Amino acid sequence: MPLNSAQTRRPTLYDVATQAGVSPSLVSLFLKDPGRISEKRREAVQKAITQLGYRPSRAATTLASSRTKSIGLVIDDYRNPWFVDLLRGMESVLSDLGYQVTLADSRPGANRIKEATDGLLAMHVEALVLAAEPSEPMLAGTWVPTVVAGWRNGVPAGADLITNDDDRGGMMAADHLLALGHSHIGHLSGSDGASFHRRAGYQSTLEAAGVEVVIGESEGTSEEDGYGSACWLLDHHPGTTAIFAANDTMALGAFAAIKARGLSVPNEVSVIGYDNSPLAKSRFLDLTSIDNRSDVVGVDAARRLLARIDDPTLEPERKLIEPTLVLRGTTSAVR
């Protein structure tokens, strides 16, 4: 392929061989073990690859090796940024070993998680990380090593569970607000497994302190869910001085509900989120949040999957990661 010709298709191994003036088998050998060919030919092949913009076919490599080096990650909603740290933690372990993480978004809806998972399995992923609520058909178990990341309402048979200690995190949030003098603390919650545990920690702490438990519950945990729940909370409990949201996205909805009622954060209503997502870290929001250490969950999930791939006989395990409180500008002493 002449260098000055218009490239109308993806360059192939044969194009590289022609450009470099070598055989296709030598180019294949270069891709597998460049040290086995002479420096002169190695330089010629590398130059041709660079000039043509050639990229080896991952599919062809997979067929040749019977290994995909691919890990499937199912999340519940791209709109919730909590998974960013989870993915970064996974890739910090997997990338250097040549593994690729393939994302699938299940979004709420009948059988969506099964469809997302089946799609990944059809791509022959070697293992799965489920960061979403498993569907009923999945609870019977999966046939590849599987880790559930975060508390869920169910865990497939044979799967590992690696999660933040959400009960402890809910307690931390409540303790923080109580220490600031708040005694009218509302909680925005969802119906998923993580929300259940965060709510349980909040509730047990307030009950132990003799403070009324007020919960605005919704089906989901989106910004819109947070807004609706916060509106209900502020309208039915106008004396509320602090809100603990089940995640940072719901906290964003709470900000809108507070503003719509002419109130300000934190002067009149303190707000604390959960996940310590990129949203919470933004200078504009400066949101106090419970860090669920998703990056650590991701690291441990990746390491566990690699161990299960190497030894499929390993028994599943459950591991809790200790959360931390990250103080920012949205919580203050009651006024």
Side-chain angles (χ1 to χ4, degrees), residues 136-187:
E136 284 298 325
M138 291 186 62
L139 295 181
T142 57
W143 46 270
V144 298
T146 301
V147 168
V148 175
W151 284 113
R152 306 297 163 191
N153 288 323
V155 176
D160 297 86
L161 174 66
I162 299 178
T163 180
N164 172 257
D165 188 347
D166 286 309
D167 293 84
R168 177 69 184 132
M171 294 171 64
M172 283 182 173
D175 280 335
H176 171 60
L177 295 173
L178 289 170
L180 291 174
H182 294 279
S183 57
H184 299 282
I185 304 169
H187 178 45

Side-chain angles (χ1 to χ4, degrees), residues 29-216:
L29 179 60
F30 170 87
L31 295 173
K32 295 177 182 176
D33 189 359
R36 293 179 60 189
I37 64 177
S38 68
E39 183 178 353
K40 181 179 178 180
R41 289 185 171 183
R42 189 164 63 240
E43 290 177 353
V45 173
Q46 183 58 65
K47 182 178 180 181
I49 287 174
T50 302
Q51 291 174 335
L52 295 172
Y54 172 74
R55 296 291 183 273
S57 169
R58 185 178 180 88
T61 303
T62 295
L63 289 173
S65 66
S66 75
R67 293 285 304 275
T68 64
K69 302 284 279 189
S70 181
I71 304 296
L73 170 59
V74 182
I75 62 174
D76 50 10
D77 194 343
Y78 278 119
R79 296 169 297 180
N80 190 335
W82 73 270
F83 76 90
V84 173
D85 287 337
L86 175 74
L87 178 59
R88 187 173 68 241
M90 290 176 59
E91 290 187 330
S92 71
V93 174
L94 298 170
S95 294
D96 289 344
L97 298 175
Y99 282 86
Q100 174 179 292
V101 179
T102 302
L103 275 172
D105 179 12
S106 67
R107 291 191 188 178
N111 295 322
R112 279 294 294 127
I113 187 171
K114 186 177 186 305
E115 292 172 8
T117 303
D118 286 347
L120 290 172
L121 293 174
M123 298 169 64
H124 300 285
V125 296
E126 295 188 35
L128 284 170
V129 174
L130 301 179
E133 294 290 336
S135 62
E136 284 298 325
M138 291 186 62
L139 295 181
T142 57
W143 46 270
V144 298
T146 301
V147 168
V148 175
W151 284 113
R152 306 297 163 191
N153 288 323
V155 176
D160 297 86
L161 174 66
I162 299 178
T163 180
N164 172 257
D165 188 347
D166 286 309
D167 293 84
R168 177 69 184 132
M171 294 171 64
M172 283 182 173
D175 280 335
H176 171 60
L177 295 173
L178 289 170
L180 291 174
H182 294 279
S183 57
H184 299 282
I185 304 169
H187 178 45
L188 311 182
S189 186
S191 60
D192 61 312
S195 295
F196 172 84
H197 286 274
R198 295 169 189 183
R199 181 170 65 248
Y202 153 85
Q203 183 169 342
S204 64
T205 302
L206 261 61
E207 288 175 346
V211 173
E212 181 184 11
V213 173
V214 179
I215 299 173

